[in-house]
Amino acid sequence: MLENNGTSFLKSLLNAWSWLFLILILGFFELYAQMETGNTFLFRVYTLQSIAVAASQILLLALGLTLVIVAGHIDLSIAFTTGFSAVVMALVIRFFGPEGGWLTVILALGVGLLAAIVVGLINGWLVAFINVPSFIGTLGTYGIARGVALIVAGGATVSIRSDEARAIGNGIILGFPVPVLVAAVVAIVFSYLLTHTKFGVHTYALGANRASVERAGVDVKKHLVILFVLSAFTAGIGGLIYTGRFSAGAANAGEPILLYAVAAVFIGGASLTGGQGTVVGTVIGAIIIAVIQFGLVFSGLPPYWQFVAVGLVIIVAVIVDQSRDRLTGVSS
Amino acid sequence: MTALLSAKGLKKRFGGNEAVKDVSFDVNEGECVVLAGDNGAGKSTVIKMISGVYTPTEGEVHFDGARLTGKSAEAIRTAGIETIYQDLALADNLDPGLNLYLGREKTRRFLGLPFLAREEMRRDAVDVLQSLGIVVPDPTAPVREMSGGQRQAIAIARAIHWQAKLVIMDEPTAALGVPEQREVMALIERLKSKGVGIILISHNLPDIFAAADRIIVLARGVVAGERRPSETNDEEIVRMMMGATL
């Protein structure tokens, strides 16, 4: 306890850096808005809703991914798992026509999620039973899901007319956009799963040392399959929300979000070697990226700067992660 | 007095290669038996036949009055034989409590949902470690921040917490510094005083003499000899390891 106070202070600072960073950029954009326009940036419902919706899009891909990364793996296929489920949902709704009502939409949601889960099962099977490294395996299914989504969609965007679907994507309940509520519920469930259940402990242990869980009698293969199915599941929900928001299913719905989702997980404190990361961290990471995206657009800079900014934040996240490792190395 | 563990005529063949030809020995309660031998002498194969990783080609193992041969590794663990591997199989990012209970975590229900009982598992870990004479400075810290001796103690704590009657340790001091090697030797003494039988694999002579009640030397798949530490010396053990005739 009486160890070097400076070191432990630095350690807690590094652990909380993503919170500090979030406050810093919010402060920056607020200051900028006040000076440039004399208006507030942050304290407007529109800003908050826009940031929250952008963050929820990223989160739906990043939440399942967090679990996979904590277990020491990666899932690149989510980019097109999202697109695949978006397209499948749109096709089901189109098949029954605009008069189908809620029954059709609920069926479409179910079939869309099922399509995503199939991708997850394939990923899990490849990694757990065929021992394919997850980076390569999910890069393969990234391509397959992309191709299949484009084929079933006939190479185009599948537009639909459905008020019910639109309500899912654009509805607002008590001031909260539906996509935000959905992401929040998934985030709470996954946070519980990772921090309070045996499944979560085994996921952390798996990321640190596979032998530890194996010798403890845990069925590691089954565990891996469940992880990849969960990852595909949240990415699939992201696809369903996309189809609802834009009244169209597109194969590339998730492609631009993949980088952001991976970034959110690492900004949130995860490590490439596994064994680290939290759902709360990933939520902060997603919000940071959404603030950067929206703030840059708001401040009138060319939107392409968001790629540069997010890239820089990823590098900072990795540097912070490494200095944290070095610190714990020194203290032991 | 019947032995806690008794291995009779163990033989293991891999294809045309006989890794273990004929090995028999006993381990009594509270006794530390060292299996000594050069690389390739068959120590690890013998251990794996006892822990159930391998099934012997011939021979059998009896433990605590029951025949173990042919049972699964899981069943043998449940019967009370724990193996502590060189790499310890700890999850470095988790605290000692979770490592102690890994795979058998305690939970408490809240609003119908199970929640990990982290505090309780941590307290149990501190208690078990204390009974091994180890004080953990910060039980909430991940085990990666602990010393080699403390980490070894956590692996041993896991074994005894689940009522192991026999602990197999594979080169426990191989990767440790001198003070930590002493800690492990002290741990072995405490385990013995709890009546736990120990099979220790080692080719470090000072360890062998410090820990052993009996030394069984293996050479080329057979028992080259059995000695009590008081009846022998380094030189004789080394000669036996090298397979010299007795």
Side-chain angles (χ1 to χ4, degrees):
Chain A
M1 297 289 142
L2 289 171
E3 66 168 299
N4 190 332
N5 272 326
T7 316
S8 58
F9 173 73
L10 204 59
K11 241 195 284 187
S12 36
L13 202 67
L14 286 172
N15 282 327
W17 83 276
S18 54
W19 287 94
L20 295 176
F21 190 77
L22 177 60
I23 293 166
L24 208 71
I25 54 171
L26 281 173
F28 171 77
F29 283 121
E30 179 64 26
L31 207 66
Y32 179 87
Q34 296 283 2
M35 292 195 321
E36 282 294 302
T37 64
N39 287 322
T40 175
F41 164 74
L42 190 56
F43 302 98
R44 286 196 308 175
V45 176
Y46 174 70
T47 311
L48 292 175
Q49 282 183 345
S50 305
I51 291 175
V53 169
S56 67
Q57 268 185 326
I58 298 168
L59 256 188
L60 283 172
L61 271 79
L63 284 171
L65 184 64
T66 304
L67 268 59
V68 171
I69 289 178
V70 167
H73 288 273
I74 187 95
D75 185 354
L76 299 174
S77 68
I78 49 173
F80 288 103
T81 306
T82 296
F84 187 36
S85 78
V87 166
V88 168
M89 175 182 169
L91 284 172
V92 173
I93 289 175
R94 183 190 267 186
F95 179 80
F96 286 101
E99 307 309 319
W102 276 110
L103 210 62
T104 303
V105 172
I106 289 167
L107 180 73
L109 292 172
V111 178
L113 270 185
L114 220 58
I117 287 170
V118 169
V119 183
L121 282 172
I122 295 172
N123 287 333
W125 174 72
L126 284 172
V127 173
F129 290 93
I130 316 293
N131 290 320
V132 179
S134 54
F135 187 91
I136 304 296
T138 60
L139 191 61
T141 50
Y142 169 103
I144 294 168
R146 174 186 214 165
V148 172
L150 283 167
I151 291 164
V152 296
T157 300
V158 183
S159 53
I160 52 168
R161 278 190 295 126
S162 161
D163 294 338
E164 292 81 5
R166 200 178 312 127
I168 290 172
N170 301 293
I172 290 183
I173 299 172
L174 301 172
F176 293 100
V178 173
V180 176
L181 292 173
V182 171
V185 169
V186 178
I188 289 166
V189 171
F190 274 55
S191 179
Y192 163 75
L193 209 57
L194 196 54
T195 46
H196 294 298
T197 68
K198 296 181 176 199
F199 182 84
V201 173
H202 299 163
T203 305
Y204 279 106
L206 186 57
N209 180 1
R210 180 174 174 143
S212 70
V213 253
E214 238 159 17
R215 294 201 194 127
V218 176
D219 187 341
V220 171
K221 289 185 161 74
K222 184 173 136 200
H223 193 96
L224 281 169
V225 172
I226 295 173
L227 283 174
F228 280 98
V229 167
L230 287 175
S231 176
F233 178 77
T234 71
I237 295 176
L240 305 180
I241 297 282
Y242 180 96
T243 297
R245 273 187 79 198
F246 300 106
S247 287
N252 65 356
E255 191 188 10
I257 310 173
L258 175 65
L259 172 72
Y260 293 155
V262 174
V265 178
F266 287 120
I267 293 169
S271 150
L272 249 188
T273 49
Q276 282 179 53
T278 60
V279 167
V280 175
T282 298
V283 171
I284 302 292
I287 294 174
I288 286 177
I289 293 170
V291 169
I292 292 174
Q293 275 183 313
F294 187 79
L296 287 175
V297 174
F298 170 86
S299 57
L301 284 165
Y304 309 116
W305 279 105
Q306 60 174 288
F307 301 118
V308 178
V310 172
L312 288 175
V313 180
I314 293 174
I315 293 171
V316 172
V318 173
I319 293 171
V320 169
D321 179 46
Q322 286 182 342
S323 23
R324 195 166 35 201
D325 285 355
R326 216 167 298 137
L327 272 182
T328 46
V330 167
S331 69
S332 72
Chain B
M1 158 174 149
T2 53
L4 176 65
L5 177 112
S6 126
K8 285 198 190 77
L10 289 180
K11 176 189 274 198
K12 183 69 189 176
R13 199 182 292 125
F14 298 103
N17 174 25
E18 252 181 11
V20 173
K21 295 190 183 95
D22 178 18
V23 170
S24 303
F25 66 95
D26 289 348
V27 183
N28 297 310
E29 277 180 21
E31 185 187 34
C32 177
V33 171
V34 172
L35 287 186
D38 204 1
N39 293 332
K43 294 173 305 207
S44 298
T45 312
V46 168
I47 290 313
K48 285 178 179 163
M49 285 190 272
I50 293 170
S51 64
V53 178
Y54 295 152
T55 311
T57 313
E58 274 175 36
E60 45 188 57
V61 178
H62 288 263
F63 176 70
D64 212 13
R67 188 172 181 272
L68 286 190
T69 326
K71 286 196 180 170
S72 72
E74 225 11 73
I76 289 172
R77 271 186 72 189
T78 315
I81 299 182
E82 284 278 348
T83 308
I84 297 170
Y85 294 89
Q86 233 177 79
D87 64 9
L88 299 181
L90 296 175
D92 272 341
N93 53 349
L94 302 177
D95 70 28
L98 286 171
N99 268 290
L100 181 65
Y101 279 94
L102 197 58
R104 299 177 261 208
E105 296 84 356
K106 279 189 181 178
T107 54
R108 287 259 169 279
R109 287 198 170 268
F110 180 70
L111 299 173
L113 288 173
F115 281 77
L116 290 169
R118 285 174 191 268
E119 280 303 320
E120 203 181 322
M121 291 189 272
R122 220 169 265 157
R123 271 201 303 276
D124 290 355
V126 170
D127 288 349
V128 185
L129 287 169
Q130 218 148 40
S131 80
L132 289 170
I134 300 277
V135 177
V136 179
D138 176 10
T140 63
V143 302
R144 115 181 109 229
E145 295 182 15
M146 295 174 186
S147 76
Q150 289 169 342
R151 291 159 49 82
Q152 194 89 38
I154 292 167
I156 292 170
R158 186 156 64 185
I160 60 168
H161 188 62
W162 301 106
Q163 324 288 288
K165 294 178 201 139
L166 179 80
V167 174
I168 301 173
M169 300 172 83
D170 187 358
E171 299 274 7
T173 59
L176 300 181
V178 174
E180 296 175 334
Q181 290 182 7
R182 294 228 177 96
E183 276 182 59
V184 173
M185 287 299 140
L187 282 171
I188 289 173
E189 284 306 315
R190 287 200 198 88
L191 274 182
K192 279 161 59 174
S193 69
K194 286 173 186 283
V196 176
I198 297 166
I199 301 176
L200 181 72
I201 297 189
S202 184
H203 50 218
N204 175 345
L205 289 167
D207 276 11
I208 294 173
F209 278 90
D213 293 306
R214 272 184 301 135
I215 304 168
I216 293 169
V217 182
L218 300 185
R220 301 197 194 98
V222 297
V223 176
E226 182 180 327
R227 294 284 185 278
R228 295 192 173 276
S230 54
E231 310 166 334
T232 185
N233 55 42
D234 290 11
E235 219 173 301
E236 189 188 21
I237 297 291
V238 172
R239 249 189 296 132
M240 284 158 68
M241 282 185 183
M242 308 294 279
T245 47
L246 301 169

